[in-house]
Amino acid sequence: MLSIKDLKVDIEDKAILQGISLDIKPGEVHAIMGPNGSGKSTLANVLSGREEYEVTGGDVSFLGEDLLELEVDERAQAGIFMAFQYPVEIPGVTTATFLKSAVNAVREARGLEELKPVEMLRLIRQKADMLGIDHKFLQRSLNEGFSGGEKKRNEMLQMALLEPKLAILDETDSGLDIDALKIVSDAVNQLRQADRSFIVVTHYQRLLNYIVPDYVHVLYNGRIVKSGDKNLALELEEKGYDWIKEEVAAGIPSL
Amino acid sequence: MSTALLEQQSETVMHFQQLFQEREQKLNGQANAPLPRLQRLAMDRLAETPFPTRRNEDWKYTATTRILAPAYTAGTEAELAAEQVKAANIVCLDAYVLVFVNGVFSAKHSQVYGMPPELTLWPVKDALKDDRFRPIIEAQLFHEENQVHNAFEHLNMAFAEHGHFIHVPKNVVVDKPIHFLYISETEDQAIFTHPQIIISLERSAELTIIEHFTGTVKGDAPYFTNVANRFHVAENANLKHYRIQDESVKAFHVNNTRVRQDRVSTYSGYLVDLGSRIVRNNLGAVLLDESTNTNFYGMYFGRGEQHIDNQTFIDHAFPHCESNELYKGIVNDKASAVFNGKVLVRQDAQKTNAYQQNSSLVLSPKAVVDSKPQLEIFADDVKCSHGATIGQLDENSVFYLRSRGLSDEQARALLQHAFLKEVLDFMPEEKVINASEELITKKFQGEF
């Protein structure tokens, strides 16, 4: 589904990603962990289409297409969804209006008919119910004055509605209390299916108790230095990141 | 004033005088009826009052010479299909409707049945013949409390033939809005029209009016809508005033609206400016007693070469009055907008609450906004604030929307719409909000 080969990325002439390779098959959940500043968010942002990053080398292909050639909206239409760490507040646009516009834009791009207002409302309510979201929420301006947990829940609602093939969660768990964390992980678990993959970028292992990954990768200094299964995350939780840094410094091969 | 300007102005005034005389000659002995007498007086005043030029501080950004250049004649009623009127109407709005085609009242297209019997809605020319109303109208027309009348107001009074007078007696709440729909159409001959509404609300009366200006320029000749309104809101009365302007972008539009408010009265103005080549609005409220409430909400959206100039004035002379003012606008392409909002808080106006805000989005390098919020305070126990912001669309928001599949164009339109929506949300009448939103959408789609 997603194939990243030797991806190198700079920000303002500083090398952030120094050759990342990653292969994600349909239905897989990959967790990307690593200390602060390791390049986790850069990876997520480059995949989502942020323009302030300069790709200096490598390829990314998504369902056979060259992902890096697609505009941000084309990526969304092709089936990539990014749950942001800091969703933007947009006063004056109600959540409902935004969701309708987004769903119809994506449907149109995928060759489907626009939904009629009644069908749209039904769909939005159904997904909101599935995620335990109060309908009143839909009439509020998008993310305006939302708590951290509400914003993340709103991201999950968007994800549920847009039905992506690949969802990227960028530190969605940071700063959430356990209740909010459960809501996010419940949403992801409900949406897990054979043709949908997830990249879960996180600093903390705790989230992975709820979203059990198939693979865990550790990013350090812009490289994947270690990969494993969910047990790697538990090891990191117990021992911290220092032993990884020491291994890298000692030149111990990562895999 | 430069010689060239002087010459142009005297030519313009001579042209107006000639039109005026031609009309007078057709009156056949009616020249001494009350309206023609008032018009004669206004014409004399016009001859003495030069049109403002850019040298006048309040007109610095708007050239009246462009507005006055065409050789206008008075509009005459044109045949208009019922569908055309319907298309210009506000969808589903239950209102009394007065339609004016090229400035001429059209009984055929209007709908005024079932008005409350206590309400008077008469042509000014008839109301002036009635001893009850003449003094009220004259008091409204001639008062110059703290604001000297400009030449456009004299021009309006000299030529207004189809002005209307509304009188609402005390305690009467008018059940439906009164909708004044002004439709203009020109081909080869430039025309000017002079809409005029004079309102007198007695104690505890309530009224909603909607002015809607729309039109088409089919040939090269523009039209010029020159509005002058006078409203008096008596004690504890409440006037809501909507103004939707989506004239042809080849038209000119000047609107002078003066409001006088008595004790505990409320005036709320809601303005939507989308059309016209040049728009100039002067909206002023004079607060004549304590505890009044004044609300000015305006939104404007200019593109192409449009120029939209809003001048507002609120005169706080008594204690415990409150005024709220919010104007938001977008300019794109080579369009320009001006906001000059004056709030005066006189020495006796203690405990005044006055808030004023103007926010603009400037979306192209050649678009211009001049914003000048002015607060002059002479009292010491007041709460007042004012501010102006000028910015661009937030690119983070654009990115966020695009990351959900909206195209760049859709994302930007949605954000601009949201920016203006804040003003529309103050309107109590949902159908007017919907109609305004539809016009905004049409404008985004480049339909005018």
Side-chain angles (χ1 to χ4, degrees), chain A residues 160-216:
Chain A
L161 281 163
L162 296 179
E163 302 184 329
K165 299 202 173 67
L166 172 68
I168 305 161
L169 277 62
D170 184 17
E171 306 217 14
T172 300
D173 54 324
S174 296
L176 294 190
D177 61 22
I178 192 73
D179 294 333
L181 192 75
K182 279 183 183 163
I183 287 163
V184 168
S185 46
D186 278 354
V188 171
N189 290 330
Q190 288 193 63
L191 292 169
R192 274 178 93 154
Q193 57 188 59
D195 59 350
R196 181 172 294 144
S197 313
F198 291 84
I199 296 176
V200 180
V201 176
T202 181
H203 191 75
Y204 306 102
Q205 178 273 335
R206 189 173 66 161
L207 177 67
L208 305 180
N209 289 337
Y210 299 95
I211 303 172
V212 180
D214 299 303
Y215 299 94
V216 175

Side-chain angles (χ1 to χ4, degrees), chain B residues 319-392:
Chain B
H320 296 288
C321 294
E322 179 173 321
S323 64
N324 299 295
E325 186 170 8
L326 174 68
Y327 273 70
K328 292 183 94 172
I330 300 178
V331 282
N332 207 341
D333 307 328
K334 290 184 196 164
S336 51
V338 181
F339 175 79
N340 186 8
K342 248 182 257 178
V343 176
L344 175 60
V345 182
R346 294 176 191 267
Q347 202 168 357
D348 293 335
Q350 300 296 356
K351 305 282 182 192
T352 289
N353 288 332
Y355 306 100
Q356 185 192 59
Q357 175 68 36
N358 172 230
S359 307
S360 313
L361 289 179
V362 181
L363 300 183
S364 97
K366 286 191 172 164
V368 181
V369 164
D370 289 288
S371 181
K372 197 169 152 194
Q374 302 178 58
L375 200 48
E376 287 178 49
I377 306 175
F378 298 96
D380 52 19
D381 183 14
V382 298
K383 277 189 205 154
C384 297
S385 70
H386 68 156
T389 61
I390 299 177
Q392 278 103 36

Side-chain angles (χ1 to χ4, degrees), chain B residues 387-406:
Chain B
T389 61
I390 299 177
Q392 278 103 36
L393 285 180
D394 175 32
E395 290 302 323
N396 271 327
S397 301
V398 175
F399 180 84
Y400 186 71
L401 295 174
R402 290 184 69 193
S403 79
R404 300 306 182 237
L406 276 71

